[in-house]
Amino acid sequence: MEDFLDKQYILVSSENFEDYLVFLGISYIARKTALTLRPIQILSKDNEGRYTLTFKSRLVNTAVTFTPGQEFDEIKPDGVKVRASIAFEGNKLIHIQTEANGRTAKHIREFFQDKMIMTTTANGFNKTAVRNFELVQS
């Protein structure tokens, strides 16, 4: 993952993302707003070995700090509190979120030199949401 630290990846396209938001119960207006955003994702690491995954957009900026392989509490952008874990496998960041009702979502971010592809699956969601990000050239 070291090769992908501190790089900015901006959303350029999505497939089935609105369907995923419907599955989560996100309201119509909130969904339509979310679909207009072109968020940037950044993975960084501090001196103590903790990582931060930052999400920036014109409406909302959030970040989650984690130690790979350790569970932590997370509040998703929709306000739902989940138990989460993040692990690395090669060039993949695997982010698992479990809600209090047992519903689990899995977000796999696969990093490349010029892009990042995020795939999202969830138990009960019969599709895969794919979001494509491009490296922001500085």
Side-chain angles (χ1 to χ4, degrees), residues 52-107:
T52 299
L53 188 57
T54 303
F55 310 88
K56 294 181 179 183
S57 74
R58 68 180 191 273
L59 293 179
V60 177
N61 295 323
T62 62
V64 64
T65 299
F66 63 95
T67 300
Q70 292 184 4
E71 282 196 344
F72 59 95
D73 290 324
E74 178 182 1
I75 297 178
K76 300 186 323 177
D78 61 2
V80 175
K81 183 178 178 180
V82 297
R83 195 74 181 141
S85 67
I86 298 176
F88 299 131
E89 289 182 13
N91 68 328
K92 295 180 182 177
L93 181 152
I94 300 167
H95 186 176
I96 298 173
Q97 299 170 316
T98 304
E99 296 179 19
N101 64 10
R103 182 167 62 187
T104 300
K106 184 178 196 178
H107 312 281

Side-chain angles (χ1 to χ4, degrees), residues 6-71:
D6 302 314
K7 294 186 178 183
Q8 296 187 37
Y9 296 88
I10 188 166
L11 179 69
V12 293
S13 68
S14 295
E15 300 166 32
N16 298 322
F17 184 63
E18 183 171 15
D19 294 336
Y20 179 64
L21 296 177
V22 169
F23 168 77
L24 292 177
I26 306 300
S27 72
Y28 176 82
I29 292 180
R31 282 195 322 267
K32 294 305 178 185
T33 301
L35 294 172
T36 67
L37 300 177
R38 292 191 52 202
I40 292 174
Q41 292 192 23
I42 305 162
L43 180 65
S44 57
K45 184 178 178 182
D46 68 18
N47 292 334
E48 297 171 15
R50 291 177 305 202
Y51 291 82
T52 299
L53 188 57
T54 303
F55 310 88
K56 294 181 179 183
S57 74
R58 68 180 191 273
L59 293 179
V60 177
N61 295 323
T62 62
V64 64
T65 299
F66 63 95
T67 300
Q70 292 184 4
E71 282 196 344

